[in-house]
Amino acid sequence: MIGQYPLTWVINDIFAIILFFMCLFHALRQKNYQNKVFELIMFVFGAGIFEHVGVFITHTYSYDPHRIMMAGAIPLATLLIEAAIVYSSTILFEYLNMKSWMSIWVVGFLCVFQDFSIDPVYVHDRYMFNGVLSGQWNWAFKYHNSFFGIPYQNFTGWVYMTGFYVALLYLDYWLAKKYSKRWLQTATPFLAGLLLIIPLLAFGMFLIDGNSKLVPELVKLVIACLIGIGLMIANWNKMKPIDIKQDKIIFTIPLLIQVYNLVIGFGLQLKQAYIPLIVCTIIEICYFGYLYRKGKRSARLSFNNN
């Protein structure tokens, strides 16, 4: 403990700042850096609104306030890490060369896959406060046999929160280009962050909510993930080789997050998180290893041709 703050939670705050600034520096190097920076920041804003709905309106979870940085009732570190995941996943989606509407499920799946190992670590990274054992956030359970301590609805909500945000970005940019509205081009990230809550509330019951019952929640999560995986497989041959030198953030963000999860999970002996940590790590190494080799091979061919 550092004063009233648990050591691993302080480390998480620092880690979140590092990840966010890695994305910020990457955004500043882009031609359209104003929009990229704004997109990164406005996701923090939109996600903050959504998270407060979960805490104060639906009462599905609560965040422990023993953090150095808080944004209302939400640890700022949580929002910064979420923003970093969405940012790097969006950069990867651009290389997948798919239609923009597919981002709802593809970016959503890329993001939720990170969450499959993040949540079991963060939820079970617990400390005792006033006689109550508390994780970084705590769930209000309505059924047993959850995903290593996390309701399935959480992951489905993460698919659509991230997917809808990126889809709103693409939609508004398309409208700005179609109608030659420069103000809309500039305001797109702000509108996406502000309006994100609308599709989540409009479609949440149908796409996400399972009335706190295991089977409906699990079915909706599986369907959302299968759509994302199916779209990625169907468009596999359209994928462009990644410019590793320019966009190595595609690899560094998810892999750093996974290393952090492994260190905390195994360092604190959070046995509930062992299975998702091991399985997700193996899958990530295989997938990102493939993308890295493809990018390297393309770079060598381009060098030889020149």
Side-chain angles (χ1 to χ4, degrees):
M1 301 282 285
I2 301 178
Q4 62 175 326
Y5 306 114
L7 177 59
T8 54
W9 297 7
V10 173
I11 293 172
N12 185 252
D13 285 344
I14 298 170
F15 180 63
I17 293 172
I18 292 172
L19 292 181
F20 186 81
F21 273 90
M22 286 175 62
C23 293
L24 183 60
F25 291 146
H26 178 273
L28 288 169
R29 293 195 299 268
Q30 308 308 304
K31 291 181 179 179
N32 57 337
Y33 69 91
Q34 297 98 331
N35 285 93
K36 287 297 182 184
V37 170
F38 208 11
E39 290 171 15
L40 183 64
I41 294 172
M42 285 310 301
F43 180 81
V44 175
F45 175 77
I49 295 175
F50 179 75
E51 295 282 3
H52 277 89
V53 169
V55 171
F56 291 116
I57 298 179
T58 62
H59 302 288
T60 50
Y61 51 83
S62 62
Y63 288 93
D64 194 286
H66 293 84
R67 303 297 291 264
I68 294 177
M69 306 183 300
M70 294 291 292
I74 317 299
L76 183 57
T78 299
L79 301 177
L80 296 181
I81 291 174
E82 289 177 353
I85 292 172
V86 174
Y87 183 85
S88 61
S89 297
T90 304
I91 301 299
L92 174 56
F93 180 76
E94 293 172 1
Y95 280 101
L96 297 181
N97 201 26
M98 301 166 67
K99 296 187 180 300
S100 57
W101 64 265
M102 297 179 181
S103 61
I104 296 175
W105 290 280
V106 175
V107 172
F109 174 73
L110 291 171
C111 291
V112 81
F113 189 80
Q114 294 287 310
D115 213 33
F116 285 143
S117 54
I118 288 176
D119 263 36
V121 171
Y122 286 43
V123 167
H124 296 294
D125 180 10
R126 296 173 174 167
Y127 292 86
M128 189 74 70
F129 298 105
N130 299 320
V132 178
L133 197 61
S134 178
Q136 291 196 37
W137 58 82
N138 305 285
W139 290 94
F141 287 102
K142 301 294 178 59
Y143 57 81
H144 298 291
N145 299 319
S146 58
F147 183 88
F148 303 97
I150 300 95
Y152 294 103
Q153 183 183 23
N154 165 70
F155 301 105
T156 316
W158 181 231
V159 169
Y160 289 109
M161 182 177 76
T162 56
F164 278 137
Y165 178 72
V166 176
L168 284 171
L169 289 176
Y170 283 126
L171 174 61
D172 287 350
Y173 283 137
W174 177 79
L175 290 172
K177 183 177 180 180
K178 181 177 178 63
Y179 296 104
S180 301
K181 301 294 184 182
R182 186 174 180 81
W183 69 267
L184 182 55
Q185 174 80 16
T186 303
T188 283
F190 174 76
L191 292 174
L194 184 65
L195 301 177
L196 175 60
I197 195 66
I198 294 178
L200 290 170
L201 292 176
F203 300 107
M205 184 65 70
F206 176 70
L207 295 173
I208 301 169
D209 184 60
N211 295 317
S212 298
K213 295 181 180 179
L214 187 153
V215 173
E217 287 191 12
L218 180 57
V219 168
K220 290 183 179 183
L221 172 60
V222 170
I223 290 173
C225 290
L226 286 178
I227 293 174
I229 294 171
L231 289 171
M232 292 175 69
I233 293 174
N235 293 273
W236 193 261
N237 293 330
K238 297 179 182 179
M239 187 189 306
K240 298 182 294 185
I242 296 173
D243 185 337
I244 297 173
K245 183 177 180 180
Q246 176 179 321
D247 294 319
K248 58 179 175 293
I249 197 167
I250 290 172
F251 306 96
T252 54
I253 294 297
L255 293 178
L256 281 175
I257 289 174
Q258 201 62 15
V259 169
Y260 173 87
N261 293 337
L262 289 167
V263 170
I264 299 298
F266 284 94
L268 297 181
Q269 298 183 2
L270 307 178
K271 296 180 180 179
Q272 303 94 326
Y274 284 180
I275 293 176
L277 277 175
I278 294 170
V279 172
C280 289
T281 298
I282 292 172
I283 294 174
E284 279 201 16
I285 289 174
C286 292
Y287 180 64
F288 286 107
Y290 167 80
L291 294 180
Y292 185 82
R293 287 196 302 272
K294 184 173 182 178
K296 280 292 188 181
R297 184 165 59 249
S298 176
R300 286 196 299 269
L301 290 174
S302 177
F303 178 80
N304 292 335
N305 290 335
N306 291 332

